[in-house]
Amino acid sequence: MPPSIQEKVDELGEDATRTVQQLGGDTLTTIQKAAGDTVRTLQQANGDVFATVQQAGEDAITTTHKAAGDVAETYVKAWRDVGEQGKRSFDDAVDAGEATKHFVENQAKADFEALNKAAKRFEDGKVVDAMWGLGMDPLKSGEENFAKATQESKVISAAAATAAAAYGGPAGAAAYAAWSTYRQTGNADMALRAGLLAAVTSQTGSSIGQMPTGTAGEIIKKAAMAGAAGGVAIAAAGGDEQAIKDGFLKSAGAVLVQGGTEKLKAYSPEANDAYEIAQCISARDVDCLSNTTWARDAKGKILYDETGKPRIDTSEIDPDNYIGKWSQVDPQSVEGQVNAIIAQTSKLPKTEAIPILDNKWVLTWTLGKERHIKKERPTVVLTYVGDDPPFVSTVTYGDAATEASQPPPEDARPDTGDKLVAYYEKPADRKRVIDAFEKNSIEYTKLDYVGLEHTKTLSNALICGPNTRVADLKKVAFSLMRAGVDIKYIGTKSTNKPGQISVLNLQRKKLTINTPNITRKQVNELTTCPAALKNY
């Protein structure tokens, strides 16, 4: 079992209730203390381990996946302190059922000839290009975390090769690879990348670098993105492999892309560049609401005319070919129970929603709610939420307990502070900050907040005193980030107590700053307390 999970199990003590279930060759263990945290571990016959920690009274779930022979992956999914109304606003904004209902209503009133206008194709292209870049860049660039790179490469390459051989066309290959990878790992971003790579491999027979340009390339991107999003959604909803071909793809594989609504602004006011209109992309067709498909060969590859443009299939369309049938693994079966545990890895707590693509997008779905899937109604929705969503969604590689590792030799000076942290308490923080300190054994001094303007503000800055060890700074920063505290600024002040870190609120013109958060990567790269680390 990963050390961080074993440590949590040990904390629950011998008096915790333990329940053990045999799921075929897998073992599911649930450990819970009355009114306390809950730990669930799934030890699979192949040596993989999935473990989840649900903290009592908190909207946060930590999942650790340790594949046999690989490093552990730790996923943290939590809600920020946005209140119940903030969560309801988010749920309303990303609700797949409402989004597809409104889309269908609006399109029924529209001029269908306008759907094929150049302006719409251009808007679709901008959206797909943005998502394609976020999804594919990690596959094209050098990865700093070698363990992460090799681990993902192994899983993604295997899924992509199998999908390309079995499914042929880009949409089907993308859907299968994404579905297979998500069921195996629970990692939505990894599954999405597997789908995109499978789509390219199936169409070009080679690498990403051989992607065609122009119209041909855009069509492959659109089919790949829709197929991959559908594959993740099918797996998350408990669908089986048949649901890919006979369900999602048969009904045209329609994916709705949306953002920029008033409800979105209610929880993410900084998302000023959100897309203002709802768009629909199809894994199968020229457009979501047309019956026009691309001509394909026997293996599903898109065919092109003598000018290099994709050919349109002009054969008569049978309407029955556009009614998909949903099928799923029995949720009460051994396979269904195991799949449900793995599928929860990337989902936000208490919500059927998955953050993807650097947390700028959220994936939701209506799959699994009806037996038949009609062409006119998209079943998967991608909502753009910008750079400041109301949730925390992170994944780290290696034992999470080693994030704040021992300082390098040149930074091994003694701690000269009596207490590591001076926390200027703020009512709006509730117990998040203090709980983070106590959970991670961080000594702190609690100070009263100063001035009425601080009564409703949140802690958002860390200030080092002279000679503060960078390892101590990282430990405090990572602990707060895991608790859902947004850190906007890290700096150093010579008049602060030596060796100590102040946790306070940073304002500008008496207003709390609302700039992009400092990232875990930025903190991890620090070699000393910075003079001023900020993203503005």
Side-chain angles (χ1 to χ4, degrees), residues 127 131 255-259 275 277-281 361 381-383:
V127 174
M131 292 188 290
V255 175
L256 186 64
V257 182
Q258 67 166 1
Y275 301 99
I277 59 174
Q279 298 150 9
C280 189
I281 58 177
W361 295 85
V381 177
L382 286 166
T383 303

Side-chain angles (χ1 to χ4, degrees), residues 67 71 88 178 183:
V71 297
R88 283 194 293 270
R183 278 167 52 96

Side-chain angles (χ1 to χ4, degrees), residues 166-215:
Y167 275 74
Y176 175 81
W179 172 83
S180 175
T181 302
Y182 192 80
R183 278 167 52 96
Q184 178 184 345
T185 67
N187 186 324
D189 277 316
M190 189 190 297
L192 197 71
R193 288 195 286 275
L196 300 184
L197 181 60
V200 176
T201 304
S202 71
Q203 184 65 29
T204 68
S206 55
S207 66
I208 300 168
Q210 300 301 313
M211 265 282 289
T213 58
T215 303

